[in-house]
Amino acid sequence: MDATTARAFIDHLWDREIIPNLIDYIRIPNKSPAFDPDWQSHGYMNQAVAQFEAWARAKVSAIAGASVEVVRLDGRTPVIFIDIPGQGSNLSGDAVLLYGHLDKQPEMTGWADGLGPWIPAVKDGRLYGRGGADDGYAMFAALAAILALKAQGVARARCAVLIEACEESGSYDLPFYVDHLAARLGSPSLMVCLDSGCANYEQLWLTTSLRGMVGGTLTVQVLEEGVHSGDASGIVASSFRILRTLLSRIEDEGTGEILPQAFAAQIPAGRLDEAEVAAKALGAEVYSKFPFVDGMRPMKDDPTELILNRTWRPALSITGFEGAPRIQDAGNVLRPATSAKLSLRLPPTVEADEAGDALKQLLEAEPPYGAKVTFDLEKAGSGWDAPPLADWLRASVDKASQVAFGRAAAMMGEGGSIPFMGMLGEKYPKAQFVITGVLGPHSNAHGPNEFLHIAMGKGVTLAVSQVLADHCARGR
């Protein structure tokens, strides 16, 4: 592959077609089913799917034997399946699976003036709006990488592009589609996922592990109805205090350390080494990317320890709260109940179902003062630890990063989850994985002011082209 020619091709396609398409896509409030149970009647998901389908059909129409299909199973979100025959490949039957999704997180508050989840805006090389970086760009980047090779006649294996519409809800529909399409997917030897992050915008980052998660709602009820706090306080225990006590069974509130060993795992030596290398590359960038308030500091001073905290150690977040009125509406009432939404991130190798059962048992056992304590487990998803990189792929990603960014690739675990990866790892145990993405410093996926770093998107596209070319050439 001639990198200069490929870069010019990809940059042109991004500027002329991909960015305008992503602008249109950001305007569509196609929230994932967990956040829009009436997604079918609202029609936004179908609108986004139709837009993606139309662009894909137009781009692959000149490739003999290529097909684009929207696959719909009854009662499930659709997927887009794009099948592109190999080009000059002598690897008979080999294939690459490229993955992304087009469903979105909900709006979230706190967007800056002039920005909004459904208001696309291009400023300073960034495309703002919900879903552009997470993960609407993926299909466009995958096809652009393939088309760049086609333009030069560079050999590559057959490519299957799979775009789902349920990832932000846990990908619960996707296993059914993978089974439904099994014969057409074949046995890919390489998986490329474009739904991950990058620690900076200056090199290619490979995700080598993903944390799992268990989540649910913890509710503490002490009364049938609220009563005057002057009358009841000192006699009736506060539901908030009991909830706080229960959380201390999980977490040391002084350090944030998760206490039960059921939620911990041994960190492999190779991942410790990766964290040290990444920390040297990033330094203070490990934490400076977060919008700390003035005077706030990270939980540890050592960047390596912060990376390990984020990727291989369990951590608890309280993501929602109910049972309390707004401050301006709060009278002197001892409230009857308090509920908190718990999100417990798990190390990649901890089995989530077992952790969920352990968490429920831990919280509900021996409730203080005999209060009514319930933990409703809502989701449990295991993490994923990537297989070791083959020698050809390790060399390829370094070459791809040099071609696209002028720097060697770096590797690091991610603190979040991509449910699809664990399932793929089980179905295709011999496959190699390239997990990468554009979610870097301040890009703020799921939050306000989410943006796609356009230059990073172009660079990742070029890097994928290089990896596809190297994948085909590896047996020669």
Side-chain angles (χ1 to χ4, degrees):
M1 183 185 81
D2 180 79
T4 301
T5 302
R7 182 187 298 277
F9 179 95
I10 288 167
D11 287 354
H12 179 79
L13 192 57
W14 265 84
D15 292 339
R16 294 292 296 274
E17 298 189 39
I18 294 178
I19 293 173
N21 266 277
L22 290 175
I23 286 172
D24 290 341
Y25 161 73
I26 286 171
R27 292 191 176 103
I28 306 171
N30 54 311
K31 291 184 286 187
S32 200
F35 311 107
D36 184 8
D38 297 322
W39 65 270
Q40 288 177 298
S41 61
H42 289 156
Y44 299 126
M45 196 71 75
N46 287 334
Q47 184 181 345
V49 167
Q51 181 200 346
F52 279 43
E53 178 193 11
W55 190 84
R57 285 191 185 281
K59 301 317 292 182
V60 307
S61 60
I63 302 177
S67 64
V68 178
E69 180 182 355
V70 177
V71 186
R72 301 178 188 274
L73 298 179
D74 288 345
R76 302 197 179 278
T77 52
V79 301
I80 300 174
F81 180 65
I82 305 168
D83 196 352
I84 304 176
Q87 174 172 286
S89 171
N90 59 3
L91 300 175
S92 177
D94 200 4
V96 179
L97 176 61
L98 299 100
Y99 164 85
H101 69 89
L102 54 69
D103 56 314
K104 304 179 185 181
Q105 283 278 323
E107 294 86 341
M108 189 64 177
T109 58
W111 290 76
D113 291 344
L115 302 179
W118 324 126
I119 304 173
V122 178
K123 296 182 179 181
D124 301 322
R126 301 171 174 182
L127 173 57
Y128 288 88
R130 180 69 80 229
D134 184 25
D135 183 39
Y137 89 100
M139 185 200 76
F140 299 94
L143 290 183
I146 294 166
L147 292 169
L149 295 180
K150 177 184 180 298
Q152 295 188 39
V154 177
R156 56 160 178 79
R158 181 176 74 90
C159 291
V161 182
L162 188 63
I163 307 297
E164 67 157 317
C166 189
E167 192 275 343
E168 300 292 3
S169 300
S171 292
Y172 57 76
D173 284 339
L174 198 57
F176 297 92
Y177 283 105
V178 172
D179 289 342
H180 179 73
L181 296 168
R184 297 167 67 183
L185 288 170
S187 297
S189 62
L190 176 64
M191 310 284 177
V192 178
C193 171
L194 299 174
D195 186 31
S196 194
C198 54
N200 60 32
Y201 300 115
E202 300 165 5
Q203 61 202 118
L204 182 68
W205 285 86
L206 256 62
T207 297
T208 55
S209 64
L210 298 159
R211 283 194 295 186
M213 188 188 78
V214 292
T217 300
L218 174 63
T219 299
V220 176
Q221 185 176 0
V222 296
L223 294 168
E224 296 295 335
E225 60 185 7
V227 296
H228 194 296
S229 62
D231 188 23
S233 59
I235 296 177
V236 180
S238 160
S239 61
F240 178 83
R241 180 168 68 83
I242 294 174
L243 185 141
R244 183 176 59 183
T245 301
L246 294 173
L247 294 179
S248 294
R249 296 178 179 180
I250 308 170
E251 178 189 58
D252 182 328
E253 59 266 30
T255 65
E257 179 185 358
I258 301 303
L259 302 173
Q261 287 303 300
F263 308 134
Q266 182 74 30
I267 305 175
R271 301 305 184 219
L272 291 170
D273 293 340
E274 286 177 2
E276 290 182 0
V277 172
K280 288 179 181 178
L282 295 171
E285 288 183 89
V286 171
Y287 59 85
S288 64
K289 66 179 183 178
F290 297 107
F292 285 108
V293 297
D294 188 35
M296 179 70 179
R297 60 184 183 273
M299 291 171 60
K300 291 181 178 290
D301 295 327
D302 185 347
T304 300
E305 289 300 306
L306 291 175
I307 289 174
L308 294 172
N309 276 359
R310 177 179 172 271
T311 59
W312 273 91
R313 292 179 181 136
L316 178 66
S317 297
I318 307 303
T319 61
F321 195 82
E322 284 186 356
R326 297 185 306 166
I327 289 176
Q328 58 265 42
D329 298 329
N332 291 322
V333 174
L334 194 150
R335 297 176 296 102
T338 302
S339 296
K341 188 93 160 184
L342 275 55
S343 174
L344 179 62
R345 294 289 174 177
L346 301 171
T349 53
V350 170
E351 211 288 319
D353 287 335
E354 293 179 5
D357 292 341
L359 183 60
K360 182 176 177 65
Q361 182 177 356
L362 178 70
L363 291 171
E364 293 184 348
E366 301 180 5
Y369 306 104
K372 183 178 180 180
V373 174
T374 57
F375 179 67
D376 295 323
L377 185 65
E378 297 165 7
K379 60 178 70 175
S382 295
W384 174 77
D385 189 23
L389 291 183
D391 290 343
W392 76 265
L393 185 53
R394 184 174 292 274
S396 177
V397 296
D398 272 335
K399 180 179 180 181
S401 187
Q402 291 286 359
V403 163
F405 301 99
R407 289 181 60 179
M411 302 178 193
M412 187 169 66
E414 276 293 329
S417 305
I418 306 176
F420 188 39
M421 288 302 102
M423 183 187 71
L424 276 184
E426 291 180 2
K427 281 190 171 290
Y428 306 107
K430 296 181 180 180
Q432 289 283 287
F433 289 81
V434 172
I435 316 299
T436 189
V438 298
L439 293 169
H442 310 291
S443 58
N444 216 21
H446 302 190
N449 308 323
E450 177 185 333
F451 67 78
L452 166 66
H453 191 285
I454 294 172
M456 189 67 189
K458 293 177 178 179
V460 167
T461 305
L462 180 57
V464 171
S465 284
Q466 184 66 62
V467 170
L468 292 178
D470 293 340
H471 167 262
C472 187
R474 73 191 190 282
R476 297 176 185 172

